[in-house]
Every structure is written in structure tokens, then in C-alpha cells.
PDB file of all heavy atoms in Angstrom:
ATOM      1  N   PHE A  68      -3.795   8.208  12.287  1.00 70.00           N
ATOM      2  CA  PHE A  68      -3.635   6.897  11.668  1.00 70.00           C
ATOM      3  C   PHE A  68      -4.966   6.238  11.355  1.00 70.00           C
ATOM      4  O   PHE A  68      -5.172   5.710  10.256  1.00 70.00           O
ATOM      5  CB  PHE A  68      -2.797   5.986  12.567  1.00 70.00           C
ATOM      6  CG  PHE A  68      -2.696   4.569  12.073  1.00 70.00           C
ATOM      7  CD1 PHE A  68      -1.749   4.218  11.127  1.00 70.00           C
ATOM      8  CD2 PHE A  68      -3.548   3.584  12.551  1.00 70.00           C
ATOM      9  CE1 PHE A  68      -1.643   2.915  10.666  1.00 70.00           C
ATOM     10  CE2 PHE A  68      -3.458   2.279  12.100  1.00 70.00           C
ATOM     11  CZ  PHE A  68      -2.503   1.946  11.154  1.00 70.00           C
ATOM     12  N   SER A  69      -5.873   6.244  12.299  1.00 71.00           N
ATOM     13  CA  SER A  69      -7.116   5.497  12.163  1.00 71.00           C
ATOM     14  C   SER A  69      -8.051   6.048  11.101  1.00 71.00           C
ATOM     15  O   SER A  69      -8.969   5.341  10.677  1.00 71.00           O
ATOM     16  CB  SER A  69      -7.847   5.429  13.509  1.00 71.00           C
ATOM     17  OG  SER A  69      -8.253   6.719  13.934  1.00 71.00           O
ATOM     18  N   ILE A  70      -7.843   7.275  10.656  1.00 72.00           N
ATOM     19  CA  ILE A  70      -8.720   7.853   9.644  1.00 72.00           C
ATOM     20  C   ILE A  70      -8.136   7.780   8.237  1.00 72.00           C
ATOM     21  O   ILE A  70      -8.792   8.194   7.280  1.00 72.00           O
ATOM     22  CB  ILE A  70      -9.095   9.309   9.974  1.00 72.00           C
ATOM     23  CG1 ILE A  70      -7.874  10.223   9.883  1.00 72.00           C
ATOM     24  CG2 ILE A  70      -9.721   9.402  11.362  1.00 72.00           C
ATOM     25  CD1 ILE A  70      -8.209  11.696  10.006  1.00 72.00           C
ATOM     26  N   ASN A  71      -6.936   7.246   8.109  1.00 85.00           N
ATOM     27  CA  ASN A  71      -6.276   7.146   6.811  1.00 85.00           C
ATOM     28  C   ASN A  71      -6.327   5.726   6.256  1.00 85.00           C
ATOM     29  O   ASN A  71      -6.197   4.758   7.003  1.00 85.00           O
ATOM     30  CB  ASN A  71      -4.815   7.558   6.914  1.00 85.00           C
ATOM     31  CG  ASN A  71      -4.615   9.036   7.133  1.00 85.00           C
ATOM     32  OD1 ASN A  71      -5.368   9.854   6.612  1.00 85.00           O
ATOM     33  ND2 ASN A  71      -3.590   9.388   7.887  1.00 85.00           N
ATOM     34  N   ALA A  72      -6.482   5.619   4.949  1.00 92.00           N
ATOM     35  CA  ALA A  72      -6.159   4.367   4.287  1.00 92.00           C
ATOM     36  C   ALA A  72      -4.644   4.167   4.347  1.00 92.00           C
ATOM     37  O   ALA A  72      -3.886   5.129   4.285  1.00 92.00           O
ATOM     38  CB  ALA A  72      -6.638   4.389   2.840  1.00 92.00           C
ATOM     39  N   MET A  73      -4.210   2.917   4.473  1.00 93.00           N
ATOM     40  CA  MET A  73      -2.794   2.601   4.562  1.00 93.00           C
ATOM     41  C   MET A  73      -2.422   1.601   3.488  1.00 93.00           C
ATOM     42  O   MET A  73      -3.251   0.813   3.038  1.00 93.00           O
ATOM     43  CB  MET A  73      -2.442   2.029   5.938  1.00 93.00           C
ATOM     44  CG  MET A  73      -2.661   2.981   7.094  1.00 93.00           C
ATOM     45  SD  MET A  73      -1.549   4.423   7.036  1.00 93.00           S
ATOM     46  CE  MET A  73       0.055   3.622   7.240  1.00 93.00           C
ATOM     47  N   GLY A  74      -1.166   1.643   3.082  1.00 95.00           N
ATOM     48  CA  GLY A  74      -0.708   0.744   2.042  1.00 95.00           C
ATOM     49  C   GLY A  74       0.686   0.223   2.302  1.00 95.00           C
ATOM     50  O   GLY A  74       1.465   0.815   3.057  1.00 95.00           O
ATOM     51  N   TRP A  75       0.979  -0.906   1.671  1.00 97.00           N
ATOM     52  CA  TRP A  75       2.336  -1.423   1.586  1.00 97.00           C
ATOM     53  C   TRP A  75       2.840  -1.196   0.166  1.00 97.00           C
ATOM     54  O   TRP A  75       2.126  -1.478  -0.808  1.00 97.00           O
ATOM     55  CB  TRP A  75       2.400  -2.908   1.938  1.00 97.00           C
ATOM     56  CG  TRP A  75       2.398  -3.166   3.414  1.00 97.00           C
ATOM     57  CD1 TRP A  75       1.337  -3.468   4.196  1.00 97.00           C
ATOM     58  CD2 TRP A  75       3.543  -3.138   4.274  1.00 97.00           C
ATOM     59  NE1 TRP A  75       1.724  -3.635   5.500  1.00 97.00           N
ATOM     60  CE2 TRP A  75       3.085  -3.437   5.583  1.00 97.00           C
ATOM     61  CE3 TRP A  75       4.902  -2.894   4.081  1.00 97.00           C
ATOM     62  CZ2 TRP A  75       3.938  -3.494   6.685  1.00 97.00           C
ATOM     63  CZ3 TRP A  75       5.752  -2.945   5.179  1.00 97.00           C
ATOM     64  CH2 TRP A  75       5.261  -3.245   6.458  1.00 97.00           C
ATOM     65  N   TYR A  76       4.044  -0.682   0.068  1.00 98.00           N
ATOM     66  CA  TYR A  76       4.692  -0.398  -1.195  1.00 98.00           C
ATOM     67  C   TYR A  76       6.012  -1.165  -1.256  1.00 98.00           C
ATOM     68  O   TYR A  76       6.558  -1.563  -0.229  1.00 98.00           O
ATOM     69  CB  TYR A  76       4.979   1.102  -1.332  1.00 98.00           C
ATOM     70  CG  TYR A  76       3.761   1.979  -1.183  1.00 98.00           C
ATOM     71  CD1 TYR A  76       3.236   2.286   0.065  1.00 98.00           C
ATOM     72  CD2 TYR A  76       3.124   2.508  -2.309  1.00 98.00           C
ATOM     73  CE1 TYR A  76       2.113   3.093   0.206  1.00 98.00           C
ATOM     74  CE2 TYR A  76       2.007   3.317  -2.181  1.00 98.00           C
ATOM     75  CZ  TYR A  76       1.508   3.608  -0.927  1.00 98.00           C
ATOM     76  OH  TYR A  76       0.398   4.412  -0.809  1.00 98.00           O
ATOM     77  N   ARG A  77       6.520  -1.372  -2.455  1.00 98.00           N
ATOM     78  CA  ARG A  77       7.827  -2.001  -2.576  1.00 98.00           C
ATOM     79  C   ARG A  77       8.595  -1.386  -3.730  1.00 98.00           C
ATOM     80  O   ARG A  77       8.011  -0.871  -4.678  1.00 98.00           O
ATOM     81  CB  ARG A  77       7.713  -3.518  -2.759  1.00 98.00           C
ATOM     82  CG  ARG A  77       7.135  -3.976  -4.089  1.00 98.00           C
ATOM     83  CD  ARG A  77       6.961  -5.488  -4.096  1.00 98.00           C
ATOM     84  NE  ARG A  77       6.431  -5.970  -5.358  1.00 98.00           N
ATOM     85  CZ  ARG A  77       6.044  -7.219  -5.580  1.00 98.00           C
ATOM     86  NH1 ARG A  77       6.143  -8.132  -4.606  1.00 98.00           N
ATOM     87  NH2 ARG A  77       5.573  -7.573  -6.771  1.00 98.00           N
ATOM     88  N   GLN A  78       9.903  -1.445  -3.607  1.00 98.00           N
ATOM     89  CA  GLN A  78      10.780  -0.971  -4.663  1.00 98.00           C
ATOM     90  C   GLN A  78      11.867  -2.009  -4.897  1.00 98.00           C
ATOM     91  O   GLN A  78      12.701  -2.258  -4.022  1.00 98.00           O
ATOM     92  CB  GLN A  78      11.397   0.382  -4.309  1.00 98.00           C
ATOM     93  CG  GLN A  78      12.193   0.988  -5.454  1.00 98.00           C
ATOM     94  CD  GLN A  78      12.510   2.453  -5.231  1.00 98.00           C
ATOM     95  OE1 GLN A  78      12.525   2.932  -4.101  1.00 98.00           O
ATOM     96  NE2 GLN A  78      12.757   3.172  -6.312  1.00 98.00           N
ATOM     97  N   ALA A  79      11.832  -2.620  -6.066  1.00 97.00           N
ATOM     98  CA  ALA A  79      12.838  -3.586  -6.468  1.00 97.00           C
ATOM     99  C   ALA A  79      13.965  -2.866  -7.194  1.00 97.00           C
ATOM    100  O   ALA A  79      13.775  -1.763  -7.715  1.00 97.00           O
ATOM    101  CB  ALA A  79      12.217  -4.647  -7.372  1.00 97.00           C
ATOM    102  N   PRO A  80      15.147  -3.474  -7.252  1.00 92.00           N
ATOM    103  CA  PRO A  80      16.267  -2.840  -7.951  1.00 92.00           C
ATOM    104  C   PRO A  80      15.911  -2.482  -9.388  1.00 92.00           C
ATOM    105  O   PRO A  80      15.388  -3.307 -10.136  1.00 92.00           O
ATOM    106  CB  PRO A  80      17.366  -3.904  -7.899  1.00 92.00           C
ATOM    107  CG  PRO A  80      17.051  -4.698  -6.673  1.00 92.00           C
ATOM    108  CD  PRO A  80      15.550  -4.749  -6.632  1.00 92.00           C
ATOM    109  N   GLY A  81      16.174  -1.233  -9.760  1.00 94.00           N
ATOM    110  CA  GLY A  81      15.926  -0.783 -11.114  1.00 94.00           C
ATOM    111  C   GLY A  81      14.479  -0.493 -11.443  1.00 94.00           C
ATOM    112  O   GLY A  81      14.166  -0.192 -12.605  1.00 94.00           O
ATOM    113  N   LYS A  82      13.591  -0.554 -10.472  1.00 96.00           N
ATOM    114  CA  LYS A  82      12.175  -0.328 -10.708  1.00 96.00           C
ATOM    115  C   LYS A  82      11.655   0.790  -9.810  1.00 96.00           C
ATOM    116  O   LYS A  82      12.242   1.110  -8.780  1.00 96.00           O
ATOM    117  CB  LYS A  82      11.370  -1.602 -10.462  1.00 96.00           C
ATOM    118  CG  LYS A  82      11.756  -2.770 -11.348  1.00 96.00           C
ATOM    119  CD  LYS A  82      10.876  -3.976 -11.109  1.00 96.00           C
ATOM    120  CE  LYS A  82       9.458  -3.740 -11.573  1.00 96.00           C
ATOM    121  NZ  LYS A  82       8.618  -4.961 -11.423  1.00 96.00           N
ATOM    122  N   GLN A  83      10.545   1.383 -10.216  1.00 96.00           N
ATOM    123  CA  GLN A  83       9.915   2.421  -9.423  1.00 96.00           C
ATOM    124  C   GLN A  83       9.158   1.818  -8.247  1.00 96.00           C
ATOM    125  O   GLN A  83       8.755   0.652  -8.274  1.00 96.00           O
ATOM    126  CB  GLN A  83       8.964   3.249 -10.287  1.00 96.00           C
ATOM    127  CG  GLN A  83       9.643   4.059 -11.376  1.00 96.00           C
ATOM    128  CD  GLN A  83       8.670   4.948 -12.121  1.00 96.00           C
ATOM    129  OE1 GLN A  83       7.459   4.879 -11.910  1.00 96.00           O
ATOM    130  NE2 GLN A  83       9.200   5.782 -12.992  1.00 96.00           N
ATOM    131  N   ARG A  84       8.974   2.625  -7.221  1.00 96.00           N
ATOM    132  CA  ARG A  84       8.199   2.185  -6.078  1.00 96.00           C
ATOM    133  C   ARG A  84       6.741   2.004  -6.490  1.00 96.00           C
ATOM    134  O   ARG A  84       6.171   2.840  -7.193  1.00 96.00           O
ATOM    135  CB  ARG A  84       8.317   3.210  -4.952  1.00 96.00           C
ATOM    136  CG  ARG A  84       7.805   2.733  -3.607  1.00 96.00           C
ATOM    137  CD  ARG A  84       8.229   3.701  -2.497  1.00 96.00           C
ATOM    138  NE  ARG A  84       9.679   3.802  -2.401  1.00 96.00           N
ATOM    139  CZ  ARG A  84      10.320   4.573  -1.528  1.00 96.00           C
ATOM    140  NH1 ARG A  84       9.653   5.305  -0.667  1.00 96.00           N
ATOM    141  NH2 ARG A  84      11.648   4.602  -1.524  1.00 96.00           N
ATOM    142  N   GLU A  85       6.144   0.891  -6.057  1.00 97.00           N
ATOM    143  CA  GLU A  85       4.794   0.571  -6.460  1.00 97.00           C
ATOM    144  C   GLU A  85       3.947   0.144  -5.266  1.00 97.00           C
ATOM    145  O   GLU A  85       4.450  -0.416  -4.296  1.00 97.00           O
ATOM    146  CB  GLU A  85       4.786  -0.553  -7.504  1.00 97.00           C
ATOM    147  CG  GLU A  85       5.337  -1.874  -6.982  1.00 97.00           C
ATOM    148  CD  GLU A  85       5.231  -3.008  -7.977  1.00 97.00           C
ATOM    149  OE1 GLU A  85       4.539  -2.864  -8.999  1.00 97.00           O
ATOM    150  OE2 GLU A  85       5.857  -4.074  -7.729  1.00 97.00           O
ATOM    151  N   LEU A  86       2.666   0.400  -5.372  1.00 97.00           N
ATOM    152  CA  LEU A  86       1.721  -0.055  -4.373  1.00 97.00           C
ATOM    153  C   LEU A  86       1.420  -1.528  -4.592  1.00 97.00           C
ATOM    154  O   LEU A  86       1.097  -1.939  -5.705  1.00 97.00           O
ATOM    155  CB  LEU A  86       0.431   0.763  -4.470  1.00 97.00           C
ATOM    156  CG  LEU A  86      -0.700   0.367  -3.523  1.00 97.00           C
ATOM    157  CD1 LEU A  86      -0.350   0.727  -2.081  1.00 97.00           C
ATOM    158  CD2 LEU A  86      -2.004   1.047  -3.942  1.00 97.00           C
ATOM    159  N   VAL A  87       1.528  -2.337  -3.538  1.00 98.00           N
ATOM    160  CA  VAL A  87       1.216  -3.755  -3.648  1.00 98.00           C
ATOM    161  C   VAL A  87      -0.057  -4.134  -2.904  1.00 98.00           C
ATOM    162  O   VAL A  87      -0.704  -5.125  -3.262  1.00 98.00           O
ATOM    163  CB  VAL A  87       2.389  -4.641  -3.183  1.00 98.00           C
ATOM    164  CG1 VAL A  87       3.614  -4.393  -4.055  1.00 98.00           C
ATOM    165  CG2 VAL A  87       2.728  -4.401  -1.718  1.00 98.00           C
ATOM    166  N   ALA A  88      -0.429  -3.388  -1.878  1.00 98.00           N
ATOM    167  CA  ALA A  88      -1.638  -3.683  -1.121  1.00 98.00           C
ATOM    168  C   ALA A  88      -2.081  -2.442  -0.380  1.00 98.00           C
ATOM    169  O   ALA A  88      -1.252  -1.636   0.051  1.00 98.00           O
ATOM    170  CB  ALA A  88      -1.406  -4.824  -0.126  1.00 98.00           C
ATOM    171  N   ALA A  89      -3.376  -2.270  -0.220  1.00 97.00           N
ATOM    172  CA  ALA A  89      -3.917  -1.135   0.515  1.00 97.00           C
ATOM    173  C   ALA A  89      -5.117  -1.577   1.323  1.00 97.00           C
ATOM    174  O   ALA A  89      -5.816  -2.528   0.960  1.00 97.00           O
ATOM    175  CB  ALA A  89      -4.310   0.000  -0.437  1.00 97.00           C
ATOM    176  N   ILE A  90      -5.358  -0.864   2.415  1.00 96.00           N
ATOM    177  CA  ILE A  90      -6.494  -1.154   3.271  1.00 96.00           C
ATOM    178  C   ILE A  90      -7.128   0.157   3.694  1.00 96.00           C
ATOM    179  O   ILE A  90      -6.453   1.092   4.113  1.00 96.00           O
ATOM    180  CB  ILE A  90      -6.063  -2.013   4.488  1.00 96.00           C
ATOM    181  CG1 ILE A  90      -7.284  -2.403   5.335  1.00 96.00           C
ATOM    182  CG2 ILE A  90      -4.990  -1.319   5.318  1.00 96.00           C
ATOM    183  CD1 ILE A  90      -6.976  -3.510   6.337  1.00 96.00           C
ATOM    184  N   SER A  91      -8.436   0.240   3.554  1.00 94.00           N
ATOM    185  CA  SER A  91      -9.150   1.450   3.924  1.00 94.00           C
ATOM    186  C   SER A  91      -9.270   1.556   5.431  1.00 94.00           C
ATOM    187  O   SER A  91      -8.993   0.610   6.173  1.00 94.00           O
ATOM    188  CB  SER A  91     -10.534   1.452   3.278  1.00 94.00           C
ATOM    189  OG  SER A  91     -11.401   0.546   3.937  1.00 94.00           O
ATOM    190  N   ARG A  92      -9.717   2.719   5.889  1.00 88.00           N
ATOM    191  CA  ARG A  92      -9.891   2.891   7.328  1.00 88.00           C
ATOM    192  C   ARG A  92     -10.952   1.958   7.880  1.00 88.00           C
ATOM    193  O   ARG A  92     -10.937   1.648   9.070  1.00 88.00           O
ATOM    194  CB  ARG A  92     -10.225   4.347   7.652  1.00 88.00           C
ATOM    195  CG  ARG A  92     -11.515   4.854   7.030  1.00 88.00           C
ATOM    196  CD  ARG A  92     -11.714   6.325   7.344  1.00 88.00           C
ATOM    197  NE  ARG A  92     -12.956   6.841   6.776  1.00 88.00           N
ATOM    198  CZ  ARG A  92     -13.365   8.086   6.893  1.00 88.00           C
ATOM    199  NH1 ARG A  92     -12.616   8.975   7.554  1.00 88.00           N
ATOM    200  NH2 ARG A  92     -14.513   8.465   6.340  1.00 88.00           N
ATOM    201  N   GLY A  93     -11.855   1.494   7.031  1.00 89.00           N
ATOM    202  CA  GLY A  93     -12.883   0.561   7.437  1.00 89.00           C
ATOM    203  C   GLY A  93     -12.536  -0.901   7.247  1.00 89.00           C
ATOM    204  O   GLY A  93     -13.337  -1.768   7.616  1.00 89.00           O
ATOM    205  N   GLY A  94     -11.363  -1.194   6.656  1.00 93.00           N
ATOM    206  CA  GLY A  94     -10.915  -2.566   6.528  1.00 93.00           C
ATOM    207  C   GLY A  94     -11.063  -3.196   5.157  1.00 93.00           C
ATOM    208  O   GLY A  94     -10.722  -4.372   4.988  1.00 93.00           O
ATOM    209  N   SER A  95     -11.553  -2.456   4.171  1.00 96.00           N
ATOM    210  CA  SER A  95     -11.585  -2.988   2.815  1.00 96.00           C
ATOM    211  C   SER A  95     -10.172  -3.077   2.266  1.00 96.00           C
ATOM    212  O   SER A  95      -9.325  -2.240   2.576  1.00 96.00           O
ATOM    213  CB  SER A  95     -12.435  -2.104   1.911  1.00 96.00           C
ATOM    214  OG  SER A  95     -13.779  -2.060   2.362  1.00 96.00           O
ATOM    215  N   THR A  96      -9.898  -4.083   1.439  1.00 97.00           N
ATOM    216  CA  THR A  96      -8.547  -4.320   0.941  1.00 97.00           C
ATOM    217  C   THR A  96      -8.506  -4.380  -0.571  1.00 97.00           C
ATOM    218  O   THR A  96      -9.500  -4.701  -1.230  1.00 97.00           O
ATOM    219  CB  THR A  96      -7.970  -5.622   1.513  1.00 97.00           C
ATOM    220  OG1 THR A  96      -8.819  -6.718   1.141  1.00 97.00           O
ATOM    221  CG2 THR A  96      -7.878  -5.554   3.026  1.00 97.00           C
ATOM    222  N   MET A  97      -7.333  -4.066  -1.112  1.00 97.00           N
ATOM    223  CA  MET A  97      -7.073  -4.189  -2.532  1.00 97.00           C
ATOM    224  C   MET A  97      -5.627  -4.606  -2.708  1.00 97.00           C
ATOM    225  O   MET A  97      -4.775  -4.330  -1.854  1.00 97.00           O
ATOM    226  CB  MET A  97      -7.353  -2.878  -3.278  1.00 97.00           C
ATOM    227  CG  MET A  97      -6.527  -1.689  -2.810  1.00 97.00           C
ATOM    228  SD  MET A  97      -6.814  -0.183  -3.803  1.00 97.00           S
ATOM    229  CE  MET A  97      -5.952  -0.636  -5.314  1.00 97.00           C
ATOM    230  N   TYR A  98      -5.333  -5.282  -3.835  1.00 97.00           N
ATOM    231  CA  TYR A  98      -4.004  -5.831  -4.072  1.00 97.00           C
ATOM    232  C   TYR A  98      -3.603  -5.653  -5.521  1.00 97.00           C
ATOM    233  O   TYR A  98      -4.444  -5.676  -6.426  1.00 97.00           O
ATOM    234  CB  TYR A  98      -3.967  -7.323  -3.731  1.00 97.00           C
ATOM    235  CG  TYR A  98      -4.321  -7.636  -2.306  1.00 97.00           C
ATOM    236  CD1 TYR A  98      -5.634  -7.906  -1.940  1.00 97.00           C
ATOM    237  CD2 TYR A  98      -3.343  -7.639  -1.319  1.00 97.00           C
ATOM    238  CE1 TYR A  98      -5.966  -8.174  -0.625  1.00 97.00           C
ATOM    239  CE2 TYR A  98      -3.664  -7.906  -0.004  1.00 97.00           C
ATOM    240  CZ  TYR A  98      -4.979  -8.169   0.335  1.00 97.00           C
ATOM    241  OH  TYR A  98      -5.309  -8.434   1.644  1.00 97.00           O
ATOM    242  N   ALA A  99      -2.303  -5.509  -5.731  1.00 97.00           N
ATOM    243  CA  ALA A  99      -1.776  -5.569  -7.081  1.00 97.00           C
ATOM    244  C   ALA A  99      -1.948  -6.981  -7.619  1.00 97.00           C
ATOM    245  O   ALA A  99      -1.906  -7.962  -6.866  1.00 97.00           O
ATOM    246  CB  ALA A  99      -0.300  -5.175  -7.093  1.00 97.00           C
TER     247      ALA A  99
END
């Protein structure tokens, strides 16, 4: 776990699953 970047994804009705936020193993973040 600690060596992987992690993300939150979401899937709304009728839509594809998408990345909404990610965080690197060092704590950097990115957002949709």
C-alpha cells in the first residue's frame, strides 16, 4: 500500500468510471 499511488474513482448512472482524485506515495495530490 505505502509504495502505491492511490485514487478515488466514481461511477454515476449511465457513465463510465472516472478518476476524481489521486495521491502519490509521497502525498502529492491531483483532482478532476
